[in-house]
Amino acid sequence: MNCIIIDDEPLARAEMNSLINEISKIDILGEFSNAPSALDFIKNNAVDLVFLDIEMPLMTGLEFVERLPKRTLIIFTTAYSQYALKSYELEAVDYLLKPIDKQRLKKAIEKAVLYTELLSTGTIKNTVESNTADFLFIKSERRFYKIGFADIKYIEGLKDYVVIHTQNQKLITAMNLKTIHQKISSDSFIRVSKSYVVNIDYIDSFDNHNIYIGDSVIPIGEVYKSDFFSKFAGGLLNTDT
């Protein structure tokens, strides 16, 4: 797996380079102080992952993402928390706040590596064949696998695919989030953002912005927030504070 680093601050680029080399074996192809230069590089080089600042001259990180090839993954690295929800709408792998925490970075890289491996086969072979009121049948390599709804913790949109997170595994299928949400029990699952559907039985805690399922932090989109609080909390909590 390879990556590039884009940040207009030289010290930030140097710190990110050092941290990546310390905790992973990702090949760093280059560092860039602005997004247009990085785009020129990507035109002639296949880049798996981009570590991306947001507030930069010439072109913001958010504008940059809109011009990327679909298969290129993004981890935002920024000092500003207000872009977090927008970043997940752009299907970023993660959103890290400066100063970058080494363990959070390691977890984000591990997630990106996993998704790169899942997507690297070129054609996703897992397909949802059918469903009942309690489970999905997923076909992979001529075999059918029964995935019970009760085993699914949450489903994540990733580019043109979805990743089904169960208690024991992750399965990627060529399907959009809206379609798979329609195939599963609406009583247990709720759409909480453009990129996530969660099983409410696995929610450990939540606040005004995020849902926590085990070690996973799932953002709540503004459009979906009222519906989530109404269905999950039943209007019993004061969520304005």
Side-chain angles (χ1 to χ4, degrees), residues 127-150:
T127 57
V128 176
E129 293 296 310
S130 65
N131 63 285
T132 72
D134 299 307
F135 53 83
L136 294 168
F137 277 118
I138 291 181
K139 185 178 181 181
S140 178
E141 299 284 352
R142 300 184 180 179
R143 297 178 66 181
F144 292 90
Y145 295 86
K146 181 179 176 180
I147 307 298
F149 294 153

Side-chain angles (χ1 to χ4, degrees), residues 13-212:
R13 294 197 303 273
E15 178 186 15
M16 183 59 63
N17 189 310
S18 177
L19 284 172
I20 292 170
N21 283 321
E22 181 179 348
I23 64 178
S24 76
K25 296 182 180 179
I26 295 179
D27 184 18
I28 301 174
L29 299 181
E31 301 177 16
F32 302 89
S33 61
N34 61 77
S37 295
L39 278 176
D40 289 339
F41 180 83
I42 289 173
K43 288 177 183 177
N44 300 305
N45 299 273
V47 176
D48 299 319
L49 174 65
V50 179
F51 293 92
L52 180 63
D53 191 16
I54 292 181
E55 292 202 354
M56 296 183 292
L58 303 181
M59 181 188 297
T60 70
L62 300 178
E63 293 169 333
F64 171 83
V65 172
E66 301 284 1
R67 306 188 186 190
L68 279 180
K70 283 189 174 183
R71 296 182 72 87
T72 303
L73 301 178
I74 296 292
I75 295 176
F76 283 106
T77 57
T78 178
Y80 304 94
S81 62
Q82 65 264 34
Y83 301 111
L85 287 176
K86 178 62 176 178
S87 76
Y88 287 109
E89 290 179 1
L90 294 170
E91 298 180 308
V93 171
D94 214 331
Y95 188 92
L96 305 180
L97 287 175
K98 299 175 181 177
I100 303 298
D101 177 79
K102 185 189 300 185
Q103 291 306 312
R104 280 284 289 113
L105 176 61
K106 183 178 180 181
K107 184 177 178 181
I109 290 175
E110 288 172 350
K111 184 177 179 181
V113 169
L114 171 64
Y115 289 169
T116 297
E117 291 173 351
L118 290 172
L119 294 168
S120 65
T121 56
T123 301
I124 302 302
K125 297 181 179 179
N126 296 338
T127 57
V128 176
E129 293 296 310
S130 65
N131 63 285
T132 72
D134 299 307
F135 53 83
L136 294 168
F137 277 118
I138 291 181
K139 185 178 181 181
S140 178
E141 299 284 352
R142 300 184 180 179
R143 297 178 66 181
F144 292 90
Y145 295 86
K146 181 179 176 180
I147 307 298
F149 294 153
D151 292 327
I152 298 173
K153 296 190 293 185
Y154 60 94
I155 303 172
E156 177 183 9
L158 176 68
K159 305 295 183 179
D160 295 326
Y161 312 99
V162 294
V163 182
I164 303 172
H165 296 256
T166 74
Q167 295 189 67
N168 302 310
Q169 62 183 325
K170 298 179 181 69
L171 296 167
I172 188 167
T173 69
M175 179 179 291
N176 63 50
L177 200 62
K178 180 180 179 180
T179 300
I180 197 167
H181 189 199
Q182 292 172 342
K183 291 179 176 291
I184 59 181
S185 169
S186 59
D187 292 336
S188 299
F189 292 87
I190 184 170
R191 184 85 174 260
V192 297
S193 74
K194 182 179 178 181
S195 299
Y196 287 94
V197 169
V198 302
N199 185 336
I200 61 176
D201 294 331
Y202 284 94
I203 295 176
D204 295 315
S205 60
F206 65 93
D207 55 33
N208 278 349
H209 305 289
N210 297 298
I211 293 166
Y212 303 90

